[in-house]
Amino acid sequence: MTAADWGLLMVAATAAGWVDAVVGGGGLILLPVILLVAPQLTPQAALATNKATAIFGTVAAVVTFARKVSLNWTVLVPAGVLAAVTSAAGAAAVSLIDRDLFIPVIMVVLAGVALLVTLRPTIGLSAAPSPPTHLKVLIVTGLAAAAIGFYDGILGPGTGTFLIIVFATMLGTEFVRSAAMAKVINVGSNVGALTFFAVTGSVYWQLGAAMAVCNVIGAVLGSRTAVARGAGFVRIVLLVVVLGMVVRLGWQQFG
């Protein structure tokens, strides 16, 4: 690769880390750039290398969020472990899924998310007046970790976004706290998928490690921006990223 190729990858990795920390969807930025700069990589190898990059940024985002946002670790850590298991299962099941049918379904779900956030502008802007019961938190968090973790292993883009929407709508948490919770579970799903990809020899570690440095920088900046700017800012970025994912997946499927 040329110096310009490396420069493009580093910029994309930084931007992906920022977006992923705020609302998820960093793969929307980085995966296309990896495939553009290194067309010799298979889609699975590109996805695996992206995971090797993203996991460092995700951990950095969790550490940054945890300094400013109180988190229920007794619920989130087991949910993260569950997400790791289902994500590994999803990565193993990639060859069994008809992506030509799967991607349009995800596009419809993303369009529904955009519509929901647009029509209900108060979602995620403040915490619900009556907090959910501990049992409800356990059930919702566990089911979301299992289902969305599996999706992360199969495809990936929007994992954090889906988690944020689930927490905001089902548990009544505001967007910044939802983003922090999503990052904890996302660490687990990244670990699970990356473990499977590493065992199968799909990861280009040198490329992933180089991009990880910039991804961490972007993730730290993104999580700090989310905390400083608040839920209203996260809502705007969420809408932009969701619409961008719909366009990107549509181009990938039909373009």
Side-chain angles (χ1 to χ4, degrees):
M1 294 186 292
T2 66
D5 292 335
W6 279 104
L8 180 60
L9 282 172
M10 297 307 109
V11 170
T14 305
W18 189 93
V19 168
D20 208 50
V22 177
V23 293
L28 171 73
I29 297 172
L30 189 54
L31 268 175
V33 176
I34 293 175
L35 290 169
L36 174 68
V37 172
Q40 70 275 19
L41 296 183
T42 64
Q44 185 179 30
L47 179 62
T49 305
N50 176 66
K51 289 295 182 189
T53 299
I55 192 170
F56 291 97
T58 306
V59 170
V62 168
V63 172
T64 306
F65 272 125
R67 292 172 178 169
K68 301 292 184 179
V69 180
S70 60
L71 296 171
N72 189 343
W73 295 104
T74 59
V75 172
L76 292 173
V77 171
V81 174
L82 179 60
V85 174
T86 59
S87 180
V94 166
S95 61
L96 305 177
I97 301 297
D98 187 345
R99 294 167 72 91
D100 290 338
L101 296 177
F102 188 64
I103 290 178
V105 171
I106 298 302
M107 291 173 61
V108 171
V109 173
L110 285 169
V113 167
L115 188 62
L116 176 68
V117 174
T118 301
L119 296 179
R120 294 181 60 186
T122 58
I123 286 179
L125 295 186
S126 60
S130 55
T133 64
H134 182 67
L135 179 60
K136 183 177 180 180
V137 173
L138 278 175
I139 293 173
V140 171
T141 306
L143 290 176
I148 299 174
F150 185 78
Y151 163 75
D152 194 20
I154 292 177
L155 191 63
T159 297
T161 308
F162 289 135
L163 288 167
I164 289 171
I165 290 298
V166 169
F167 296 147
T169 56
M170 300 295 292
L171 299 180
T173 56
E174 46 88 20
F175 278 139
V176 175
R177 187 176 304 279
S178 296
M181 294 167 62
K183 287 297 99 185
V184 177
I185 294 175
N186 208 182
V187 168
S189 64
N190 281 340
V191 167
L194 182 60
T195 299
F196 175 82
F197 288 135
V199 170
T200 57
S202 301
V203 184
Y204 282 72
W205 292 105
Q206 289 180 326
L207 178 59
M211 293 188 296
V213 176
C214 294
N215 194 256
V216 167
I217 294 172
V220 171
L221 293 175
S223 50
R224 287 181 177 176
T225 302
V227 171
R229 299 292 295 273
F233 172 77
V234 175
R235 179 180 181 273
I236 294 172
V237 178
L238 177 68
L239 281 171
V240 172
V241 170
V242 166
L243 293 174
M245 281 191 284
V246 172
V247 172
R248 174 71 182 88
L249 290 172
W251 179 264
Q252 175 182 332
Q253 185 76 0
F254 308 112

